[in-house]
Amino acid sequence: MTCPFPNGVYLDNNATTLLAPEAKEAMEVFLTSKYGNPNSLHKFGTETHAALSKALDTIYEGINASDKDDVIITSCATESNNWVLKGVYFDILRHGTKNHIITTEVEHPAIRATCEFLETLGVEVTYLSPNAEGILSVEQVRDAITPKTGLISIMWANNETGLIHPIEEIGELAHRAGILFHTDAVQAIGKIPVDVQKSHIDFLSFSAHKFHGPKGIGGLYIKEGVELTPLFHGGEHMHGRRSGTLNVPYIVAMGKAMQLAVDGLEYEEKEVRRLRDKLENALMEISDILIIGDRRHRVPNTILCSIRGIEGEAMLWDLNKAGIAASTGSACASETLEANPVMVAIGADKELAHTAVRISLSRYNTEAEIDYTIEAFKKSVQRLRKISSTYIKHA
Ligand code: C6P
């Protein structure tokens, strides 16, 4: 099919998003004439410092932190996740009395691989598997707590399924048990309300490029009064908690993107969800397609489906030829030919997990794009099943 949209149809927004034009515009002057170091005391420094301060206000208010000093700018969520786990290791876990972390099998590799590294240093890690619906229960977390548990790290929404874990309840549980609580909120910000105080969160990671900000900039919320040994030692940037000259243009753009994300939550909930549901309903008309997870428990933009008899990669290439961008799961796992690990963790057999396709919308997708995707998707499935050696139609 020839794609009628000159730039194609982008449905891989859980991998990264379009930079919002407003965010691009907001940062431009800081890439050119306003280039001062925000720590400098002259005019060049004070003007960038003022812009930085304004952006930090928007960011901390966007997650309902109590102060801008509670948000530390990092290069991305991978850094934030590494920092929390390794920082808590330095502060608590390495001393041995509290050397246990509770996390899940469906975390992003930035958590899983870091936990595996900490295991080599003697930390005990419990990797919980969500239930068949793909969601973790508070009871599972409660049952995993031991007197040695020093940290609970559970993602807010899964990047592949879009399923939302009960973060507020888990936060409350951790809080009552006196255990530090971290959540990777990369796939939650801009999709559902995020409130660090209401959810009893000690640490929260985010990346700007998942909510229409630039790549290479993100942050870590650290609750007031909670100590965390820095990963980057150096100057007094960010009150000595994360040293390195601040990337003012990107932080300004992240601030703008956060403001748009928060203001756009209602649109996300109504309109992005409506388009996602329209697409999902149409996909469900195709025989032998399985949609993973109840849509009421998912962020409004995500569909993970499994198309019996068609390898996920084959489906992607066929969609790509039609100008449609989707994925088989995490962008950072796209070069492995392993079955989708999140699907395996929630109990799918390997054959089914190899047929996974993730579709993730954003506020920039239009009804016409979704109508075109429905048509192209149905045609791809028909064509690929005709040549599939494994597809046998189920009754
Ligand atoms: N997930 C995906 O296709 P960075 O790369 O540091 O900005 O974000 C890492 C990250 C951390 N946590 C979650 C839940 C994520 O989804 C991601 C990025 C992308 O699913 C790229 S691998």
Side-chain angles (χ1 to χ4, degrees):
M1 275 175 86
T2 312
C3 183
F5 306 98
N7 294 326
V9 180
Y10 186 75
L11 295 174
D12 197 12
N13 287 281
N14 286 9
T16 196
T17 58
L18 172 79
L19 178 65
E22 297 91 331
K24 176 173 174 279
E25 198 192 320
M27 80 172 166
E28 261 160 5
V29 68
F30 299 99
L31 287 166
T32 51
S33 55
K34 296 191 177 183
Y35 54 84
N37 185 322
N39 287 85
S40 300
L41 298 179
H42 45 66
K43 168 193 162 276
F44 288 86
T46 50
E47 67 192 6
T48 49
H49 191 274
L52 182 69
S53 188
K54 191 170 157 224
L56 287 173
D57 279 342
T58 319
I59 295 165
Y60 95 79
E61 283 165 13
I63 57 172
N64 196 30
S66 48
D67 193 87
K68 70 162 153 284
D69 290 348
D70 303 344
V71 173
I72 315 296
I73 301 301
T74 63
S75 62
C76 60
T78 298
E79 181 190 326
S80 304
N81 287 347
N82 267 268
W83 182 13
V84 170
L85 295 170
K86 292 173 183 170
V88 173
Y89 171 77
F90 272 114
D91 295 334
I92 301 173
L93 305 169
R94 75 187 165 111
H95 302 302
T97 42
K98 276 191 171 265
N99 73 337
H100 177 227
I101 297 176
I102 299 172
T103 187
T104 77
E105 279 187 1
V106 296
E107 299 297 310
H108 185 272
I111 293 289
R112 270 185 293 136
T114 312
C115 282
E116 282 160 20
F117 168 69
L118 292 181
E119 281 184 283
T120 68
L121 302 179
V123 175
E124 286 171 28
V125 184
T126 300
Y127 300 90
L128 298 172
S129 283
N131 59 23
E133 276 77 51
I135 299 180
L136 201 71
S137 72
V138 187
E139 290 68 37
Q140 281 178 284
V141 182
R142 182 177 300 127
D143 292 348
I145 294 177
T146 76
K148 288 187 138 197
T149 308
L151 176 71
I152 298 175
S153 175
I154 313 273
M155 70 197 326
W156 201 308
N158 185 269
N159 49 319
E160 307 206 357
T161 59
L163 286 162
I164 303 166
H165 295 306
I167 290 305
E168 194 176 327
E169 290 84 344
I170 298 172
E172 203 179 337
L173 171 71
H175 190 86
R176 271 193 275 113
I179 300 168
L180 289 170
F181 179 47
H182 167 242
T183 185
D184 173 344
V186 163
Q187 299 290 348
I189 290 181
K191 295 174 185 153
I192 52 174
V194 166
D195 183 328
V196 289
Q197 297 191 63
K198 194 168 161 218
S199 298
H200 311 279
I201 289 165
D202 294 300
F203 309 109
L204 176 141
S205 310
F206 57 93
S207 245
H209 72 105
K210 306 290 186 178
F211 54 94
H212 304 285
K215 292 165 192 58
I217 196 85
L220 180 67
Y221 160 78
I222 306 177
K223 187 179 167 181
E224 194 188 343
V226 175
E227 292 299 320
L228 189 68
T229 290
L231 264 193
F232 292 6
H233 293 88
E236 277 303 301
H237 313 92
M238 298 261 103
H239 310 286
R241 302 185 95 175
R242 201 270 188 187
S243 298
T245 302
L246 290 161
N247 186 340
V248 175
Y250 279 21
I251 298 168
V252 166
M254 175 158 71
K256 189 70 194 174
M258 177 66 91
Q259 183 208 320
L260 295 168
V262 171
D263 293 349
L265 278 177
E266 205 179 310
Y267 184 87
E268 195 78 18
E269 182 49 40
K270 287 206 177 114
E271 195 52 22
V272 176
R273 183 181 289 279
R274 185 184 72 76
L275 291 179
R276 190 275 308 267
D277 289 356
K278 179 177 184 177
L279 175 57
E280 186 167 320
N281 291 341
L283 300 188
M284 283 161 67
E285 289 166 6
I286 304 173
S287 59
D288 297 330
I289 275 211
L290 182 69
I291 306 283
I292 313 300
D294 187 327
R295 67 171 74 155
R296 287 169 306 178
H297 302 309
R298 272 185 268 140
V299 286
N301 78 321
T302 308
I303 304 172
L304 181 66
C305 64
S306 158
I307 313 156
R308 204 171 275 283
I310 303 176
E311 290 276 328
E313 281 80 14
M315 191 65 200
L316 284 200
W317 285 116
D318 216 55
L319 289 174
N320 190 44
K321 274 197 280 173
I324 298 165
S327 66
T328 52
S330 256
C332 55
S334 64
E335 283 173 18
T336 71
L337 290 175
E338 296 286 301
N340 181 308
V342 172
M343 282 188 63
V344 173
I346 63 177
D349 63 49
K350 282 217 166 138
E351 192 194 326
L352 204 64
H354 269 295
T355 66
V357 172
R358 177 181 74 177
I359 300 169
S360 45
L361 285 72
S362 82
R363 62 175 183 263
Y364 294 102
N365 290 121
T366 62
E367 185 109 34
E369 288 180 341
I370 296 305
D371 290 339
Y372 168 72
T373 302
I374 292 171
E375 207 189 325
F377 202 98
K378 287 185 172 172
K379 285 196 172 139
S380 283
V381 173
Q382 239 178 14
R383 186 172 40 249
L384 293 171
R385 275 190 177 155
K386 264 194 206 141
I387 54 169
S388 163
S389 56
T390 55
Y391 181 61
I392 303 156
K393 192 175 191 306
H394 286 57

